[in-house]
Amino acid sequence: MTDDAADLAEFLLARIEEDERIADHVASVSPTTDTKFCLWATSSPSTQERMIVAADYRRVIAECAAKRSIINDFLVASDPALTTLERVLMQLASAHQDHADYRDVWRR
C-alpha cells in the first residue's frame, strides 16, 4: 500500500469520526426516535467542526459503519482487490473535496 493510499484511508476515517460524533450528539438530544421528522444542525460551525444536518441520524450512523467497513476491507486487501478498493475510497473522498486536508492526488 502506498503512503498516499494510507493517507486517504486516514483522511476518510477522520471524516467518518466527525460525522459519527455529530450524529451521536443528535441522537442523544433528540426528543424523538422518529427520525423521519427530526432535523438538527450543529449550533456553531467552525473550521474544526463542519456544519452538517442530520435529517436521519440513524442513517448517518449506519452509513458511517458501512464506510468504515469498506476502509477496513481496503486496509487488509491484496492486489487486485487493493486497486479496486482504492478507487472506491477515492470516490468516497470526492464528497470532501472542499476539505482543507483533501489532496488532489485522490482526484481521479
Side-chain angles (χ1 to χ4, degrees):
M1 177 184 318
T2 67
D3 288 343
D4 283 336
D7 290 346
L8 174 59
E10 183 179 324
F11 171 81
L12 284 168
L13 289 170
R15 304 297 73 76
I16 290 168
E17 288 173 13
E18 289 171 355
D19 289 348
E20 285 173 328
R21 182 177 43 80
I22 294 168
D24 287 342
H25 172 72
V26 170
S28 73
V29 298
S30 175
T32 179
T33 58
D34 184 0
T35 59
K36 291 177 187 159
F37 302 102
C38 184
L39 190 64
W40 294 80
T42 55
S43 58
S44 57
S46 66
T47 55
Q48 289 80 28
E49 182 176 21
R50 297 177 290 122
M51 169 75 114
I52 70 162
V53 176
D56 183 343
Y57 59 82
R58 289 182 187 167
R59 181 190 49 77
V60 171
I61 292 169
E63 284 182 353
C64 288
K67 290 174 186 176
R68 191 180 300 281
S69 179
I70 291 167
I71 294 166
N72 287 337
D73 286 348
F74 167 76
L75 292 172
V76 299
S78 59
D79 287 326
L82 184 64
T83 302
T84 300
L85 285 167
E86 185 174 2
R87 289 174 42 209
V88 170
L89 295 190
M90 288 179 190
Q91 291 170 347
L92 291 174
S94 70
H96 302 281
Q97 289 181 23
D98 60 342
H99 193 280
D101 294 335
Y102 183 85
R103 298 180 185 174
D104 285 335
V105 70
W106 299 333
R107 188 182 324 247
R108 293 191 184 158

